Each structure stands twice: as C-alpha cells, then as structure tokens.
Amino acid sequence: MSDSSDTKKTEQKKITAQEAAELAVKHYRGVTNDNTSILRVSETELSEDESVWKITLSIANPSDPFALYGGARLDYKTFEINAMTGIVISMKIRPN
C-alpha cells in the first residue's frame, strides 16, 4: 500500500530551466548590484537526480566597445538552484 505523502513528493512540480535561468539573473543582479552588464544564458543542466539546476551565465561589460558585436571578453558564473524550491544554493566563477 502506497503512502499518500510519497505520491505528493513525486507529484511536486519542479521549476523549469527558464525559471531557473531567471532566478540566476535576479540573484546575480541582486548580489552584485550590477544592472548594466549584458547577461546571456550559456548552459542549463538538470542534475541526474533532478534536484538541482546548474545554470551558467555569460557576462559582458557594456562599456566594452565590442560588447554589442559579440567580441567582448566574457566572464562566466555558474549557479546551482534547488529544482523544487527555486532557492539559489551557490554562485561560482567558472574559468574561461
């Protein structure tokens, strides 16, 4: 006989990759107070156990004269986000 709490756990909705990416952008802007850099989603990955989204953002400085043409030097940040709650677990520098 199956416990109803087990059923609820498996039915709990995970956030989507798009929602996780939006949370990563919001977290980056909030922590760094940087509202001018150009941010793009570079990578999304759901962990094997589907508990964590790994989102990588590329960050271009808008004052770089090549930023709008794709020639700017990019920095990368990788975020781990709880796939069930949407809580940002970490933000790390990813080597270029």
Side-chain angles (χ1 to χ4, degrees):
M1 185 172 207
S2 174
D3 182 23
S4 64
S5 64
D6 290 338
T7 305
K8 287 180 184 176
K9 285 180 187 175
T10 57
E11 291 177 4
Q12 189 174 8
K13 186 180 175 204
K14 291 180 198 61
I15 64 171
T16 65
Q18 182 176 354
E19 291 168 325
E22 289 169 359
L23 289 165
V25 169
K26 183 178 178 180
H27 184 78
Y28 174 81
R29 296 221 187 269
V31 168
T32 64
N33 202 27
D34 176 357
N35 292 312
T36 59
S37 288
I38 300 165
L39 305 178
R40 291 195 174 105
V41 176
S42 296
E43 300 172 337
T44 64
E45 178 184 0
L46 185 59
S47 64
E48 200 169 302
D49 66 0
E50 298 187 356
S51 65
V52 175
W53 278 106
K54 295 179 183 177
I55 306 293
T56 301
L57 299 179
S58 61
I59 304 159
N61 184 332
S63 64
D64 184 324
F66 299 105
L68 296 176
Y69 306 105
R73 183 176 89 58
L74 300 175
D75 292 320
Y76 296 91
K77 301 277 188 206
T78 299
F79 299 79
E80 290 188 350
I81 299 170
N82 183 303
M84 300 308 278
T85 66
I87 293 172
V88 176
I89 299 165
S90 67
M91 176 178 78
K92 298 179 182 178
I93 297 170
R94 193 193 90 186
N96 293 348

